[in-house]
Amino acid sequence: MRLAAPARLGLRAVALAYLLVLAGLPVATILWQTFSPGWATFWSWVTTPAAISAFNLSLAIVAITVPLNVVSGVLTALALVRGRFPGKGVLQAVIDLPFAVSPIVAGVALITLWGSGGWFGFAESAGFQIIYAIPGMVIATVFVTMPFVVREVEPVLRELGDSAEQAAATLGAGPWQVFWRITLPSIRWGLTYGVVLTIARALGEFGAVIMVSSGFPGVSQTLTLLVHARYLDDHNTYGAYAAATVLMGIAVLVLALMTLLERLRSRP
């Protein structure tokens, strides 16, 4: 059923107003609060040793998280699509667990597992600090970003089928040759999209990371934790908005990259 022109304009106006209130106004407020003291003040707050250290740590966690999720995600997707084994439905549910469980709950669970007196507390007894240190932050980030690569690669594998892989194997190609020359090129767009989503989620993670981090500046403080500490602990409003603007800028770049990938993916 085709709507009349006034109805279409009314729906567009409602949608635009909805987006403006939920997204436009908060973004405009952050930008206004960030740059109202001037560009020099903004630059001074984003180039402090604590801010630079937080930015570097955020990138380091992303650099560790992405390869781990790529390897485990591709292998898991292959197992779900190509394999037949008991407990397949349970594995499907476990992959989606980070979507259902609050990140704070995940952080508490990691403390129970890896903290002093936990199931794997022997690591801390041996002198290897996990909780309230960078390893715990990496584990928490890997957990919350676990589903993205799997859920982007899995439907691509299902759509492609395994006829090309079987043909290559029939012609004498080994498993690695089949993967590198047939499977990997076929899933490259889904894998790339999953990587972009993983990067975005890892950079913005707060709930799980704050539970397993000491929060000390220059030691285990990411950009999200820096915003939290400046705003609530230091009462440094401008510094918090400056760090938040950096995060928002990264998010915009990731969104632009996702849009570009989606267009490239849809091309014949």
Side-chain angles (χ1 to χ4, degrees):
M1 179 173 128
R2 186 177 179 84
L3 295 175
R8 291 199 304 271
L9 291 176
L11 288 175
R12 292 174 185 174
V14 170
L16 183 60
Y18 179 79
L19 292 175
L20 180 64
V21 171
L22 288 185
L25 288 180
V27 170
T29 300
I30 292 175
L31 293 177
W32 171 258
Q33 293 288 347
T34 299
F35 295 106
S36 58
W39 172 262
T41 302
F42 165 77
W43 185 251
S44 66
W45 282 120
V46 298
T47 54
T48 61
I52 294 175
S53 175
F55 181 76
N56 291 336
L57 179 58
S58 295
L59 293 184
I61 290 176
V62 169
I64 297 172
T65 299
V66 169
L68 290 175
N69 274 335
V70 165
V71 174
S72 63
V74 171
L75 291 177
T76 302
L78 285 170
L80 290 173
V81 176
R82 302 284 189 256
R84 295 181 180 179
F85 54 90
K88 192 173 181 179
V90 176
L91 180 58
Q92 288 277 16
V94 169
I95 292 170
D96 291 331
L97 194 62
F99 290 146
V101 175
S102 168
I104 294 179
V105 175
V108 173
L110 291 176
I111 294 175
T112 303
L113 289 173
W114 295 97
S116 178
W119 291 3
F120 305 116
F122 59 85
E124 185 172 330
S125 302
F128 188 65
Q129 186 74 24
I130 294 179
I131 300 300
Y132 307 125
I134 295 176
M137 300 169 69
V138 171
I139 295 174
T141 306
V142 169
F143 174 80
V144 299
T145 58
M146 178 179 62
F148 293 111
V149 171
V150 180
R151 291 311 183 206
E152 290 297 326
V153 172
E154 183 184 1
V156 177
L157 287 172
R158 292 190 186 279
E159 183 180 354
L160 290 172
D162 60 351
S163 56
E165 296 171 354
Q166 290 182 0
T170 303
L171 293 174
W176 280 109
Q177 289 178 308
V178 172
F179 176 76
W180 286 110
R181 297 188 179 184
I182 304 296
T183 308
L184 188 59
S186 300
I187 65 172
R188 65 186 185 279
W189 289 118
L191 180 59
T192 303
Y193 204 66
V195 167
V196 173
L197 291 174
T198 301
I199 293 173
R201 185 70 175 88
L203 284 173
E205 175 52 34
F206 175 77
V209 168
I210 196 173
M211 296 299 297
V212 297
S213 168
S214 66
F216 293 142
V219 179
S220 61
Q221 189 179 68
T222 60
L223 273 175
T224 53
L225 299 185
L226 177 66
V227 174
H228 176 267
R230 282 181 172 180
Y231 195 85
L232 293 181
D233 300 335
D234 302 336
H235 303 289
N236 179 5
T237 304
Y238 291 123
Y241 278 120
T245 299
V246 173
L247 273 173
M248 187 170 62
I250 296 173
V252 171
L253 291 177
V254 172
L255 180 62
L257 180 58
M258 289 171 60
T259 304
L260 177 62
L261 289 175
E262 192 65 30
R263 290 182 178 179
L264 293 175
R265 191 178 181 179
S266 61
R267 288 182 179 178

